[in-house]
Amino acid sequence: MDFSSVLSGFAVAFEWQNILFCLLGVTVGMLIGVLPGLGPAATIAILLPITYNLEPTAAVIMLAGIFYGAQYGGTITSVLLRLPGEASTVVTALDGHALARRGQAGPALGIAAIASFIGGTASIILLSFIAPALAGVALAFGPAEYTVLALIGIFLVGTLGNGSIIKSAAAASAGLLLAVVGLDPLLGTPRFTFGTDQLADGIDFTIVAMGLFGVGEILYNLEHRDRPQTAVPSFGRAIPGRLHWLQSRLAILRGSVTGFVLGILPGGGATMASLVAYAVEKRSAKDPSRFGKGAIEGVAGPESANNAAATSSFIPLLTLGIPANATMAVLFGALMLQGITPGPGLMSDHPDVFWGVVNSMYLGNLLLLVLSIPLIGLFVRMLKVRPGVLAPITIVITMIGTYSIRNNAFDMLLVIGLGLLGYGMRKLGFEPGPFVLAFVLGSLLEASFRRSMRIFGGDVSEFVQRPVSGTLVAILVLTVVVVPLLRKVRTRQTANAEEEGVRAD
Amino acid sequence: MQHPLPRRGLLAGLAAVPPLVALSACQVQGGADEANATFPTRAVDFWVPFDAGGSGDLISRAVAKAAEEPLGESLPVTNKPGANGAVGLKELLAGKADGYTISLAVKSLFAIGPLIVDDPDAVVIEDLRIITTLTNEGYVLVVHADSPYQTLADLLAADQVNYGTTGVGTGSQLSAGLLFGLAQVPATDVPFDGGGPTVTALLGQDIDAASLSLAETMPHIEAGDMRPLCVFSEERSVYLNDVPTAVESGHDILVDQRRFIVVPADTPDEVVGVLTLAFEEAREGSEYGQFLQDNFMERWEVDGIEAELHLAEATQQFADQIEASGVELGTAE
C-alpha cells in the first residue's frame, strides 16, 4: 500500500467542500433511511443530476454518505416501528422492537448507533489495509459457494423465531415459494406471473418487507388501538447504560468482523452478515431464550455487522468494478458519468478519488454518530403519537417509498396485498422475519444451485470437492447436524447423571 | 369579500370549455394545430425502462442532458424498470401520445424477446415510433487471462465449454449460443443476473468463456485479466482493433445491442419533428461524444424508417439462425 496516497486521500476528504458534501450525504441518507420504503438506491438515482456539475470525489463522497447513512436511519424504524427497510435490518427489528416495547427504545437505538459506528469504522480500517488482497475473496465465491452460503442462511433463519418452530418453518417455506414468482432465472419461463410483465422480474424485497412488516403490523396495531400499550416507553435515556455496554461490547466486535468478511461478497452479503451475527450471538449466549424478547446483543451484533458490510461492499466496486447491490450499481453509474471507470485501474489511475472517498467515511461515520444521539430522543417521541394518527402517516410514506423503487403504481397494490397477508400471519402467530429472509435467500439458493449443476454437469459431489464450498459444507454439517446432536447427547447425559445423583442420595 | 364573484366566473368559464376541447381535439386529428408549433411548453419526461446505473440508464442521462438546450426544456430522467423494458414501454403506450413522455428502448426487446417466449401481449415496434437512434454496442467473447484457450479456434476445439451469459434473451446469450451451436461445440450456457455477476464468474474462473458488452469487459481486458477472442460486430471494433470478428473467423454471426428513443406511434408528426431535431443536435454535443468514447459505445445514427427495417431484419435473421443452429435459448433444461 502506498501511504502517501492514503495521506493525500485524507487531505482530499478534509477539504471544506468535501466535508460539507459528506455532511449533506449522511444527513440525507439518515433521513431517507428513517422513511419506510425510501431506499438509498432510488434516492441516489434521483440526486444523480445534481452531481453532474460536482467534482467526481465530492459527488461520490456525498452519494456514498447517503448509502451508509441510510443504514443508520433504517435501524430507527426497525426498532421503533418494526419496519425494516432493508434485508440487512430485518434481524435488528426482532430484539430491537422487543426492547422498544419494554420501554427501552432509547438504549436500544443508542447501542445500535454505537455498534454501527464501531462496525463501520473497523471496516474502513480493514478496507484501507487489505482491500486489494480481498478482491480475491469476492472471486472465490462462485455459484457453488453461494448455494451453500444461502443454504446455511436458510437454516439460520430457523433459529430466529422465538415461538413455534413449526410456524417459523411454515413461514420460511412460504417465503421460499414467493421467491419463485417471476421469470425462471435460467430459462426465462414465466412462473406465477399471471400473464403480466409487472411480475416478470419477481417481487422486490422492499415490497415484501413493507407489506408484511409495515402494512401488516399497522393493520394489526390499529385493531388493538383501544387497548393500553404493553409498555409505556421511557424517553429519558438515549445513551445506553454501563450494563448494556458490557453486554454488547463483544457482540459488536464479533459483528464487525463477520460483517466485514461477508460484506465483500456481492449479492446477499450484508443480509447474510446480519443473520450470521445474530445467530452467533444467540448461540454463544448463556441464556438464548432471551433472544427475540429484547436481548441487547441481538441489536448490537447485527447492527455492527450490517454497517461493516455496507463499508466492505465498496471493495468489489472499487477494486473489480462489480456492484454488490442496487445502490452500488447506481454509484457505479455516477462514477461512469463522471468519466471514471470503477475497476482494477481505479486505485492507480485515480488515487485521489479512491482514498478521498474511503477516508471520508471515517468522518461520515463520526458525523452519523453525533447526529444520531440527539435525534434518537426525538424519534423515540414518535411512539407517543397515537396509533390512529401514526398509522395513516406511516402508510402514506410507505406507499411513496414503494412507488419510488420502480416508479410503478402496480407495486403499491402488491404492498397492500402483502400487507393483508402480513396481518393474517400476525393474527395466526406466524413471524414475518423468517418469511422475508427466506424470500431473499430463496432466489439466491435456487439460481445458484441450478447454475452450479450446469457448471458441474450434474455432479453434486463437486460441492464437497471445491475448497471453499467444501469448507462451507463442513460448516453447514457442523452447525446444523453435529452441534445440535452433541447438545442433545449432553443434556441427556446430564439428565442421567442428575438422576443417578438423585438415586445415589 | 371579493372572492365568490371571480370564482363563480371561473366556474362558468369552465362549463363553457368542453365543446371547445372537443373542437380542438378534432383539429389535432386533422393534423394542423397551432398549439403544436410551440411544443414543448413544459418539461419532457424521459423514461428509462431499466434500473438506475446500467448502460441504458447512463446513455439516457447523457443524451437527456445534451438535449435540454436544443429543446429548450428540461428532460428529467425516470427509471421504470421491468421485463427488459416491456413494463415501462407498456406504461408509455397506455399514456398520452403528446410527446411529453418519451422513452429509451433497446433492440433485444424486439429482436430477441419474441424468440424466447411467445407472448401475445408483447410490445411490438409497430406501436411505437422511433424519434432518434443512439448507439450500437458490440459484444466481445472473452476468456480468463489464465485460460488455456489462446484463440477462438482453440476454444471451439474444446470437448466441453461452460459459457456465462448475462441472462435469458440477451445478446450475450444469443451471440455465444449461436457461435457454439453453429460450430457444433458441446457447450452449456449458464445465465447470470446481469453483467456484474457474469464478469465475477469469469474472473473467478467458474465459467470458461462469456460474451459481454465492451463496456463490461474493456477495463478487465486493459488490466490484463481477460483475453478477447472475437467480436460479434460487422467490422472490427475501434476499441479492439486487433481482435478479429466472428465473421472473419468463418462464423457468420452478427449480434449487437442498439438503443433508440421512442414515443407512441400516434404522436403528432410536428411533435416528433421537434423532438427528432433536438436529439440530432444533442448527439453532436462534445460531452455526449466523450461519454460514448469513455463507455466504448459506437454511434448508430440512422432515420426511423431505416431503424425499423434493421430491427425487422435482425429479428428474422436471429430466428433463422436459431433454427439452423438448434440452440435453445431457454425453453428446455
Side-chain angles (χ1 to χ4, degrees):
Chain A
M1 189 177 56
D2 181 6
F3 268 102
S4 65
S5 50
V6 180
L7 290 179
S8 62
F10 274 110
V12 174
F14 286 99
E15 279 169 29
W16 68 269
Q17 67 269 47
N18 287 346
I19 293 179
L20 271 182
F21 280 114
C22 185
L23 177 65
L24 184 67
V26 297
T27 313
V28 169
M30 192 153 167
L31 290 178
I32 57 128
V34 172
L35 299 174
L38 277 176
T43 309
I44 295 176
I46 293 166
L47 291 181
L48 265 186
I50 300 176
T51 67
Y52 293 160
N53 302 319
L54 295 181
E55 285 283 304
T57 316
V60 180
I61 284 176
M62 180 181 78
L63 298 179
I66 295 178
F67 172 61
Y68 58 81
Q71 310 287 322
Y72 275 73
T75 308
I76 295 176
T77 33
S78 282
V79 168
L80 294 182
L81 301 174
R82 201 163 174 256
L83 234 172
E86 302 252 348
S88 54
T89 54
V90 169
V91 287
T92 313
L94 298 173
D95 282 87
H97 189 64
L99 280 166
R101 291 203 150 240
R102 286 203 332 226
Q104 302 203 348
L109 287 172
I111 279 289
I114 293 168
S116 299
F117 172 73
I118 295 176
T121 307
S123 197
I124 310 165
I125 296 172
L126 288 170
L127 185 154
S128 302
F129 281 98
I130 48 179
L134 280 171
V137 174
L139 297 182
F141 272 72
E145 287 72 25
Y146 277 110
T147 307
V148 188
L149 196 67
L151 205 56
I152 293 176
I154 287 171
F155 277 109
L156 289 184
V157 167
T159 67
L160 289 184
N162 53 351
S164 141
I165 289 178
I166 294 178
K167 280 189 172 175
S168 279
S173 308
L176 288 176
L177 270 179
L178 194 70
V180 306
V181 171
L183 297 186
D184 181 301
L186 273 79
L187 303 176
T189 319
R191 302 189 299 200
F192 304 104
T193 58
F194 303 97
T196 164
D197 288 331
Q198 299 286 2
L199 289 169
D201 295 345
I203 303 171
D204 191 277
F205 160 78
T206 318
I207 291 170
V208 179
M210 288 303 115
L212 291 188
F213 278 101
V215 180
E217 182 84 7
I218 290 164
L219 289 176
Y220 184 81
N221 284 341
L222 278 180
E223 189 179 86
H224 297 264
R225 71 179 191 277
D226 299 332
R227 293 186 209 160
Q229 292 236 319
T230 38
V232 180
S234 73
F235 304 110
R237 295 169 58 91
I239 295 160
R242 211 178 129 73
L243 183 66
H244 289 125
W245 172 245
L246 285 177
Q247 276 178 329
S248 42
R249 60 181 182 181
L250 285 176
I252 293 175
L253 213 64
R254 285 188 288 253
S256 303
V257 177
T258 315
F260 177 75
V261 175
L262 287 171
I264 299 167
L265 305 176
T271 313
M272 278 300 295
S274 61
L275 198 51
V276 168
Y278 187 85
V280 165
E281 293 319 313
K282 191 170 175 178
R283 290 263 161 109
S284 59
K286 283 195 191 108
D287 177 16
S289 67
R290 286 193 304 121
F291 278 77
K293 293 171 195 150
I296 195 92
E297 308 97 288
V299 175
E303 272 310 299
S304 54
N306 67 31
N307 280 274
T311 305
S312 61
S313 66
F314 278 92
I315 292 176
L317 179 78
L318 297 178
T319 60
L320 296 169
I322 297 163
N325 50 50
T327 315
M328 288 294 146
V330 190
L331 269 174
F332 178 91
L335 279 162
M336 297 293 282
L337 286 172
Q338 295 277 1
I340 293 172
T341 308
L346 180 68
M347 217 195 269
S348 48
D349 298 347
H350 301 281
D352 50 327
V353 176
F354 185 95
W355 290 111
V357 171
V358 169
N359 291 339
S360 78
M361 294 188 205
Y362 291 109
L363 183 69
N365 272 287
L366 192 65
L367 289 172
L368 280 166
L369 184 66
V370 175
L371 279 175
S372 305
I373 300 294
L375 279 178
I376 287 170
L378 196 71
F379 280 118
V380 169
R381 261 164 247 268
M382 219 157 60
L383 291 183
K384 247 184 182 168
V385 180
R386 271 190 304 122
V389 175
L390 191 61
I393 296 173
T394 318
I395 293 265
V396 168
I397 296 171
T398 305
M399 285 298 159
I400 295 172
T402 304
Y403 181 79
S404 76
I405 300 167
R406 294 201 298 169
N407 296 304
N408 189 322
F410 174 82
D411 290 345
M412 304 202 291
L413 295 176
L414 263 182
V415 165
I416 295 171
L418 285 162
L420 292 175
L421 176 68
Y423 169 73
M425 282 172 61
R426 190 88 161 78
K427 284 284 261 192
L428 299 170
F430 290 97
E431 298 270 351
F435 183 109
V436 168
L437 288 168
F439 171 78
V440 174
L441 295 168
S443 6
L444 184 64
L445 177 69
E446 191 216 343
S448 305
F449 177 70
R450 289 173 58 197
R451 276 174 204 138
S452 310
M453 293 323 284
R454 284 199 173 190
I455 290 170
F456 296 160
D459 183 3
V460 187
S461 69
E462 290 224 26
F463 280 111
V464 197
Q465 289 169 21
R466 292 167 59 109
V468 180
S469 76
T471 312
L472 288 170
V473 169
I475 293 173
L476 176 70
V477 172
L478 267 176
T479 51
V480 176
V481 185
V482 179
V483 173
L485 264 181
L486 281 179
R487 200 169 283 169
K488 205 164 253 180
V489 171
R490 202 182 307 150
T491 43
R492 198 167 292 165
Q493 273 174 347
T494 37
N496 285 348
E498 274 170 16
E499 249 174 58
E500 272 167 31
V502 172
R503 246 179 256 155
D505 284 344
Chain B
M1 286 294 281
Q2 286 185 327
H3 288 300
L5 208 66
R7 241 184 228 167
R8 209 173 292 147
L10 193 68
L11 280 177
L14 278 177
V17 163
L20 280 175
V21 169
L23 203 69
S24 66
C26 289
Q27 279 174 346
V28 170
Q29 277 166 355
D33 187 317
E34 281 168 41
N36 283 336
T38 57
F39 174 88
T41 54
R42 57 184 165 91
V44 172
D45 285 320
F46 194 132
W47 286 4
V48 180
F50 300 95
D51 282 313
S55 291
D57 181 54
L58 298 180
I59 294 171
S60 304
R61 290 178 190 275
V63 78
K65 191 181 156 201
E68 291 197 345
E69 211 183 291
L71 197 61
E73 286 289 341
S74 66
L75 290 120
V77 170
T78 307
N79 299 88
K80 296 253 180 192
N84 195 25
V87 171
L89 290 177
K90 279 187 184 173
E91 197 176 328
L92 176 79
L93 287 172
K96 271 192 210 160
D98 57 4
Y100 283 104
T101 312
I102 63 180
S103 177
L104 184 82
V106 296
K107 176 178 168 181
S108 62
L109 178 67
F110 304 100
I112 310 180
L115 307 173
I116 311 291
V117 183
D118 183 25
D119 178 6
D121 300 327
V123 181
V124 290
I125 195 69
E126 287 75 23
D127 291 340
L128 297 163
R129 186 155 165 191
I130 298 173
I131 55 172
T132 323
T133 56
L134 295 173
T135 58
N136 177 352
E137 293 150 65
Y139 287 95
V140 53
L141 187 75
V142 284
V143 292
H144 193 276
D146 297 340
S147 161
Y149 309 116
Q150 299 295 330
T151 63
L152 182 60
D154 289 349
L155 181 67
L156 295 180
D159 296 331
Q160 161 70 30
V161 176
N162 290 329
Y163 64 96
T165 76
T166 60
V168 181
T170 57
S172 158
Q173 188 194 29
L174 180 70
S175 54
L178 285 177
L179 178 72
F180 294 116
L182 290 169
Q184 300 194 322
V185 179
T188 310
D189 71 322
V190 186
F192 287 86
D193 187 14
T198 318
V199 168
T200 315
L202 189 77
L203 290 176
Q205 292 186 283
D206 293 304
I207 47 175
D208 302 314
S211 169
L212 292 159
S213 73
L214 285 176
E216 285 154 351
T217 48
M218 281 306 288
H220 302 285
I221 293 173
E222 282 169 354
D225 298 328
M226 288 182 184
R227 182 186 309 133
L229 297 185
C230 76
V231 292
F232 293 98
S233 45
E234 205 164 345
E235 283 162 27
R236 290 192 178 196
S237 162
V238 290
Y239 303 103
L240 281 173
N241 211 7
D242 50 348
V243 178
T245 64
V247 179
E248 268 178 66
S249 317
H251 307 278
D252 197 15
I253 301 159
L254 289 177
V255 178
D256 52 29
Q257 177 70 302
R258 300 191 187 209
R259 300 184 209 257
F260 43 93
I261 306 173
V262 295
V263 288
D266 49 354
T267 307
D269 288 339
E270 301 84 354
V271 170
V272 173
V274 170
L275 288 168
T276 301
L277 277 177
F279 279 103
E280 270 172 7
E281 204 178 323
R283 291 189 308 205
E284 303 307 316
S286 62
E287 264 184 68
Y288 175 72
Q290 186 63 44
F291 169 83
L292 294 186
Q293 211 167 2
D294 288 348
N295 289 279
F296 313 101
M297 294 166 180
E298 290 180 34
R299 288 173 183 272
W300 180 46
E301 298 179 354
V302 297
D303 64 34
I305 297 166
E306 198 177 325
E308 278 176 37
L309 200 67
H310 170 81
L311 290 179
E313 281 174 2
T315 313
Q316 191 56 47
Q317 175 212 332
F318 292 159
D320 293 345
Q321 284 188 315
I322 283 174
E323 209 180 319
S325 68
V327 171
E328 282 179 344
L329 290 182
T331 30
E333 186 111 47

